[in-house]
Amino acid sequence: MSAGARPYVVGLTGGIGSGKSAAADRFAALGAAVVDTDQIAHQLTAPGGAAMPAIEAAFGAGVVAADGALNRPAMRTLAFEDTAARKRLEAILHPMIRDESERRCRCAAAPYVILAVPLLVESGTYRERIDRLCVVDCPEAVQVARVMARSGLDAHQVRAIMAAQATREARLAVADDVVDNAGTVAALQARIDALHVGYLARAARAKGL
Ligand code: ADP
């Protein structure tokens, strides 16, 4: 495929609970193609998933559930206790996620692509692949409250996850566009609607239209 045929790609990121999924859903409803690396990771480790043979070979049958999917609690415990195991898991999954997300971006039949990557700011490779970076942002206390309501984790556990992610300031420092999601879902959607108009124009310009 020629370089000119590459679609315009907007990276979408934000801390846990900031509202990335809600934002991505709105972009999708407006007609953008959404490529979500979390979703790809789940598909790779679902029953019959492309990563499962390599994961079983590396870690044994104990990390495979009866249905052939990744036994997530077992893998999480292993990866948490053993840094080398976590790195081995990442060495299997990350290249597959990168390749599959790249393929989906290239094949997207939409004016532009939203590439949703939770740890985009932390990862050099994804930043090289995007034309623009959109960060969903809200105060940390709001993130904690939303994740607690969604998941049943306690505040301490949510804060521990947030501590392993880039800081709010680090994300905002590299953002081209910021979606303030401290308000209502309707306000979030109105902001996405406005960004969508801009991304359509940028994508058209990039194509030379
Ligand atoms: P992320 O994908 O960044 O982890 P989500 O989009 O899943 O975040 O949002 C986290 C939780 O907060 C979800 O349960 C979602 O429905 C809820 N949520 C998102 N945006 C808002 C908002 N503006 N007001 C209230 N709840 C929201």
Side-chain angles (χ1 to χ4, degrees):
M1 184 173 275
S2 74
R6 181 184 170 280
Y8 191 81
V9 179
V10 179
L12 178 70
T13 196
I16 183 170
S18 59
K20 289 179 298 296
S21 306
D25 287 350
R26 185 62 173 185
F27 279 117
L30 295 168
V34 174
V35 176
D36 181 335
T37 55
D38 256 3
Q39 186 190 17
I40 292 170
H42 265 89
Q43 290 169 348
L44 289 170
T45 53
M52 290 313 299
I55 289 175
E56 182 164 0
F59 301 104
V63 299
V64 183
D67 64 359
L70 180 65
N71 180 336
R72 287 174 209 288
M75 190 71 242
R76 210 176 296 126
T77 305
L78 196 62
F80 183 75
E81 289 170 355
D82 179 352
T83 312
R86 181 172 56 75
K87 289 203 181 308
R88 243 185 309 155
L89 178 67
E90 289 175 355
I92 294 169
L93 280 176
H94 286 186
M96 294 179 100
I97 295 169
R98 231 178 6 248
D99 289 352
E100 178 60 13
S101 59
E102 177 73 30
R103 191 189 66 75
R104 291 188 189 186
C105 284
R106 255 188 286 114
C107 296
Y112 68 93
V113 179
I114 293 288
L115 177 58
V117 186
L119 298 180
L120 192 150
V121 170
E122 294 82 343
S123 143
T125 48
Y126 286 96
R127 285 178 68 180
E128 287 164 10
R129 283 175 37 191
I130 59 174
D131 297 292
R132 203 165 170 85
L133 178 57
C134 178
V135 169
V136 184
D137 176 71
C138 65
E140 289 174 358
V142 177
Q143 277 179 267
V144 173
R146 284 185 185 152
V147 176
M148 285 174 67
R150 178 181 68 183
S151 65
L153 295 175
D154 65 35
H156 183 72
Q157 291 167 310
V158 181
R159 292 259 176 209
I161 295 169
M162 287 165 60
Q165 301 187 336
T167 62
R168 188 179 181 198
E169 291 70 28
R171 273 189 300 270
L172 292 175
V174 292
D176 296 303
D177 302 302
V178 176
V179 174
D180 173 3
N181 189 30
T184 63
V185 172
L188 168 74
Q189 293 181 343
R191 171 73 175 132
I192 301 291
D193 292 2
L195 284 172
H196 172 70
V197 174
Y199 294 157
L200 285 176
R202 286 179 184 280
R205 268 205 302 281
K207 264 174 113 180
L209 294 177

